[in-house]
Amino acid sequence: MKPKITTDSHLLDTVHRHEWKQRDAWRALRILSEFVDGFDNLSDLEPAVSVFGSARTKPGSSEYLLGERLGSALAKAGFGVITGGGPGAMEAANRGAREAGGVSIGLGIELPFEQRLNDFIDLGMDFRYFFVRKTMFVKYSQAFCVLPGGFGTMDELFEALTLVQTKKITRFPVVLLGVDYWSGLIDWLRDRMLHTTKITEEDLDLILLTDDVDEAVAHVIKESEYLRDEASGKKDV
C-alpha cells in the first residue's frame, strides 16, 4: 500500500517546524543510507542511458512503440537503459531493452499514488527521496533521451540542461524524441529565452530534436566516443 504522506513530504514539511531540530538530523542518516545503497547497486553498471517519459503513455500507442524501439536500439548499441521504473513510456523503454538482450534498470520513487516497478526490469530500486534518485540518473548515465511526458519529465530534462550549462557535467547529450510534441517548447526557448538573451545559441545546441531513433542513438554513440577519446588523451585539439 502506498503511504498517504511520503518520506519526501515529511522532509519538506513546513507545518511541523517544531519537529525539525529533533527529527532532521536523524533523517540525514536515512538519506545517507539511500545514497550508499544506490552507489553500491549501480556502480558496476555498463555504460547506460537514462530514458524519461510519461507514466500515462498507453501501451500500443505510437509513443509507447517509440519507447520500445529506443530501448531496443540503445541495448543493441551496448548501453544499459535506465528509467524511472514505472509504467507507460518507462515500461516501453525497459521492455525494448530487455527484449533486445540489454540491461534494463528501473529506479522507482515512493509516491502517494501510482506506481510499482514494471515487469521488464533486471535491476530495480525504490527510492524515498527524489534528489537521491536524480543523482543516480545523472551519475550512472552518459546521456538522457526524453520521450513525451509531463511535469516529471520536464523536471529531469531541465535539470540535465542546467547541469551541462553550468558545467557540473560535461558532454552530456540530451535528445528529445517526438518532433510534434516538443517543437512548441523548442520554439518557445528560441523565440522567448534566446530572443531575450536568457540563454545562448550554445545552450540551444545542447538539445537534439528528432523522430528518428537511429539518429538519436548515433548522437549518443558519437558523444560517448568523444568522452572515451578525451579520457584516454586521444581527442584532437
Side-chain angles (χ1 to χ4, degrees):
M1 293 182 65
K2 295 294 183 183
K4 292 182 179 179
I5 301 177
T6 65
T7 310
D8 258 335
S9 300
H10 283 297
L11 174 66
L12 302 174
D13 176 32
T14 59
V15 176
H16 302 96
R17 296 175 63 91
H18 62 280
E19 297 181 0
W20 286 357
K21 191 172 184 68
Q22 293 83 6
R23 293 179 181 268
D24 283 355
W26 291 105
R27 287 194 179 109
L29 296 177
R30 175 178 280 183
I31 292 166
L32 176 61
S33 71
E34 194 153 283
F35 273 115
V36 170
D37 284 344
F39 295 154
D40 188 50
N41 282 286
L42 300 173
S43 59
D44 291 328
L45 280 181
E46 61 187 66
V49 174
S50 286
V51 178
F52 299 99
S54 177
R56 301 177 184 182
T57 298
K58 301 297 183 186
S61 67
S62 59
E63 291 177 2
Y64 189 97
L65 296 175
L66 178 64
E68 282 192 88
R69 294 200 304 275
L70 175 63
S72 176
L74 288 169
K76 290 175 181 176
F79 294 101
V81 173
I82 304 174
T83 78
M90 295 173 280
E91 177 186 288
N94 285 134
R95 182 174 189 167
R98 174 183 273 187
E99 292 180 352
V103 178
S104 176
I105 304 105
L107 307 181
I109 186 71
E110 178 187 75
L111 294 172
F113 55 88
E114 57 183 40
Q115 67 205 14
R116 66 177 182 84
L117 293 177
N118 67 63
D119 295 327
F120 301 96
I121 290 171
D122 301 311
L123 171 61
M125 296 187 67
D126 273 313
F127 291 87
R128 295 185 179 94
Y129 297 101
F130 266 108
F131 55 88
V132 179
R133 180 182 184 236
K134 285 182 176 184
T135 299
M136 303 304 154
F137 279 132
V138 175
K139 182 174 178 65
Y140 296 105
S141 296
Q142 294 189 275
F144 277 6
C145 290
V146 187
L147 298 160
F151 285 168
T153 303
M154 295 282 279
D155 177 44
E156 299 292 354
L157 166 62
F158 281 102
E159 180 174 47
L161 292 173
T162 302
L163 289 171
V164 179
Q165 183 196 52
T166 56
K167 301 190 184 304
K168 295 294 185 181
I169 51 177
T170 57
R171 300 292 296 195
F172 193 88
V174 177
V175 182
L176 298 182
L177 287 109
V179 172
D180 185 61
Y181 188 85
W182 293 113
S183 288
L185 173 63
I186 298 298
D187 290 343
W188 185 82
L189 293 176
R190 182 180 297 109
D191 297 341
R192 301 296 293 177
M193 283 191 175
L194 181 61
H195 182 70
T196 58
T197 67
K198 305 298 189 296
I199 60 173
T200 67
E201 284 281 0
E202 273 189 348
D203 295 330
L204 273 183
D205 289 342
L206 298 174
I207 305 169
L208 171 67
L209 174 64
T210 184
D211 282 325
D212 188 334
V213 168
D214 291 336
E215 181 184 10
V217 175
H219 182 64
V220 172
I221 292 171
K222 178 183 176 182
E223 293 298 306
S224 297
E225 289 174 345
Y226 180 97
L227 283 174
R228 283 198 297 269
D229 289 346
E230 188 177 56
S232 64
K234 296 179 182 178
K235 182 175 72 68
D236 293 333
V237 178

